[in-house]
Each structure stands twice: as structure tokens, then as C-alpha cells.
């Protein structure tokens, strides 16, 4: 049986206090080819955050060197990145307009200083050294890192997405025994509902029980929006 994977995209609107309803969608595919993501994202408009884009990876690269070599240069880089995270912690959960204003006023100067520091360190260190390779990696992704400075809806890293997908990743071996393609697609739909419940602060079992009972009792398809997780009342 070909390997089976789940391609995932999430709207994480609650992270910036958006009024729209946040949701998670897992899409089943029968392989790992890029064509699956291309097909899934056909007609998609918006911002796509993926691995390799973020300041999180920049921090991880420096931490690898710091932990292994105790590099003071890596330590200084981590200190600067930590300052960016402190600001993000302060504004997490606020509206996109506020996040954008704070980032432009406080974070942008720190990013600019980091870029100067990065260029200076790269000029002093051999690019073939372990630290030089890590600094080159960060420089390669700086344009992606800076996108969050001009859009309050963009996260500085992909931590929220990584946390949401972790249960699926840990369960990946079970995916090999979904039975057939339709089993994989069904699994993707159920996983989508469960993770969307979590994103909206809804208890998944209570939601699924109430929703299936409503459908069994003849809830009209024309009012399906009423059964979405973001419209569910945990107390009902």
C-alpha cells in the first residue's frame, strides 16, 4: 500500500482575536508528492505559513550551536530573538491592527538591528564552519521572517500549527492501516472536526454526540452552519 499522509491547512484566527470562525482542515492524500498540496490549495487566497518560513527555525539553528559549542555569538543571537518573542507574548490574543502597530513600533527596530548583527557576524565567521552554516541558513530565510511585520494576522512562527498537528503526526503509523483511500478521507474529516473543536474551546465528544443526534433527528442540510463547532454551546 502506498504511504498515506495528511496534508493540513489551518485558519488560526483566534490567535489574533479575529471575528471570523477559526477552523482546521486535514486533507487525505495517498502519497507525499507536492501535487497533492497544489491540488488542495487550488483557488486558495490568503497567507500560507509552512515550515522553513519562520523565526522559530532561526532560533532552533542558533540553539543547536549554542548547546553543542557554547558559542557566545549564538548566545547573543538567541538573546535578540528572545526579545522578539517577549513582544509577541505581550500582544498574543489582541486584534490584528494592534499586533501590527506594536510590531512596527517595537519589533521592526529589533529585526533591523538583528539583520545588521547577522551581516556583521557572517563577515567574521567562515561560512564553512558549523556556526557559519547556521547563520547562512537564517539569512536565507530573513525575507520570510519579516513578513509578520506587515501583517497582524501572520504569526512569527509556526508553533500553533505544530501543536495542532502533533496528535496527527504521532498517530501517523496508524494511518497505514486506514484500510483504503475512503477510510483515509473519513479519518481526515473526523480529525478536522476534532481539531476545530479544540480551536474553538469545544469539547469534541460532546460536540460529535450532539451533532450526530441532530442529524439523525432530521436537522435540515440548509441550516448546516448551525452545526459548526464555533456555533456549539458546551453548556447545552
Amino acid at each position: 500500500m502506498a504511504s498515506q499522509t495528511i496534508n493540513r491547512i489551518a485558519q488560526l484566527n483566534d490567535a489574533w482575536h479575529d471575528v471570523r470562525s477559526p477552523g482546521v482542515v486535514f486533507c487525505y492524500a495517498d502519497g507525499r508528492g507536492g501535487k497533492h498540496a497544489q491540488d488542495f490549495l487550488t483557488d486558495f487566497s490568503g497567507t500560507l505559513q509552512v515550515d522553513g518560513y519562520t523565526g522559530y527555525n532561526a532560533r532552533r539553528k542558533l540553539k543547536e550551536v549554542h548547546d553543542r559549542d557554547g558559542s557566545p555569538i549564538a548566545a547573543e543571537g538567541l538573546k535578540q530573538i528572545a526579545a522578539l518573542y517577549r513582544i509577541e507574548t505581550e500582544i498574543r490574543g489582541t486584534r490584528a491592527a494592534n499586533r501590527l502597530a506594536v510590531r512596527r513600533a517595537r519589533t521592526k527596530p529589533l529585526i533591523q538591528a538583528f539583520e545588521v548583527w547577522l551581516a556583521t557576524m557572517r563577515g567574521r565567521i567562515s561560512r564553512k564552519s558549523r556556526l557559519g552554516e547556521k547563520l547562512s541558513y537564517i539569512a536565507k530565510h530573513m525575507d520570510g521572517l519579516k513578513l509578520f511585520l506587515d501583517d497582524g494576522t501572520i504569526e512569527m512562527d509556526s508553533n500553533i500549527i505544530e501543536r495542532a498537528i502533533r496528535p496527527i503526526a504521532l498517530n501517523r503509523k496508524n494511518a497505514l492501516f486506514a484500510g483504503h483511500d475512503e477510510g483515509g478521507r473519513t479519518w481526515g474529516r473526523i480529525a478536522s472536526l476534532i481539531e476545530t473543536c479544540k480551536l474553538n474551546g469545544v469539547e469534541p465528544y460532546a460536540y460529535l454526540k450532539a451533532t450526530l443526534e441532530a442529524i439523525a433527528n432530521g436537522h435540515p442540510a440548509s441550516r448546516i452552519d448551525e452545526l459548526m463547532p464555533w456555533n456549539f454551546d458546551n453548556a447545552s
Side-chain angles (χ1 to χ4, degrees):
M1 177 183 292
S3 61
Q4 300 168 338
T5 62
I6 296 291
N7 293 320
R8 176 195 184 278
I9 184 172
Q11 290 181 306
L12 299 168
N13 305 10
D14 68 328
W16 52 85
H17 200 68
D18 200 298
V19 297
R20 294 169 295 181
S21 304
V24 177
V25 176
F26 290 91
C27 180
Y28 168 84
D30 62 0
R32 297 175 59 88
K35 67 182 182 65
H36 300 299
Q38 293 175 2
D39 291 342
F40 183 56
L41 294 172
T42 298
D43 297 325
F44 169 78
S45 62
T47 301
L48 182 66
Q49 278 195 256
V50 297
D51 291 344
Y53 150 79
T54 66
Y56 172 76
N57 282 333
R59 187 172 188 173
R60 176 172 58 80
K61 292 294 182 181
L62 285 176
K63 192 173 188 306
E64 289 175 359
V65 176
H66 181 265
D67 290 346
R68 179 167 179 169
D69 303 331
S71 166
I73 294 176
E76 173 58 29
L78 288 173
K79 181 179 178 181
Q80 293 186 55
I81 294 173
L84 303 177
Y85 273 90
R86 284 195 292 272
I87 295 174
E88 287 300 298
T89 298
E90 292 178 22
I91 61 177
R92 183 168 295 118
T94 63
R95 294 187 181 279
N98 178 66
R99 282 157 52 109
L100 180 58
V102 172
R103 287 169 174 174
R104 285 179 171 174
R106 297 172 55 192
T107 306
K108 189 172 183 178
L110 297 182
I111 290 288
Q112 292 172 333
F114 180 79
E115 287 188 279
V116 172
W117 173 85
L118 181 62
T120 300
M121 294 302 102
R122 292 187 70 204
R124 296 178 181 175
I125 300 170
S126 169
R127 297 192 179 188
K128 295 183 179 180
S129 68
R130 184 181 299 110
L131 179 57
E133 290 177 353
K134 305 304 184 184
L135 294 178
S136 294
Y137 176 91
I138 296 171
K140 178 182 178 180
H141 291 279
M142 278 303 298
D143 287 343
L145 166 62
K146 294 188 292 184
L147 287 176
F148 82 110
L149 295 175
D150 297 311
D151 189 336
T153 67
I154 295 179
E155 291 298 303
M156 192 176 84
D157 61 30
S158 58
N159 285 350
I160 294 176
I161 295 174
E162 294 295 331
R163 285 194 296 270
I165 200 173
R166 187 170 293 117
I168 298 299
L170 293 175
N171 196 41
R172 72 181 68 186
K173 288 185 178 179
N174 292 336
L176 298 174
F177 306 100
H180 46 71
D181 288 345
E182 187 55 37
R185 283 187 282 270
T186 298
W187 182 45
R189 296 182 191 113
I190 296 299
S192 299
L193 286 172
I194 290 174
E195 291 303 319
T196 297
C197 282
K198 294 178 182 178
L199 200 59
N200 286 273
V202 171
E203 204 286 309
Y205 176 78
Y207 166 78
L208 291 172
K209 181 176 182 295
T211 300
L212 291 174
E213 288 176 348
I215 293 174
N217 290 330
H219 187 94
S222 60
R223 291 162 45 201
I224 193 67
D225 285 352
E226 297 174 7
L227 300 181
M228 294 296 101
W230 47 82
N231 291 324
F232 183 75
D233 183 0
N234 274 310
S236 61

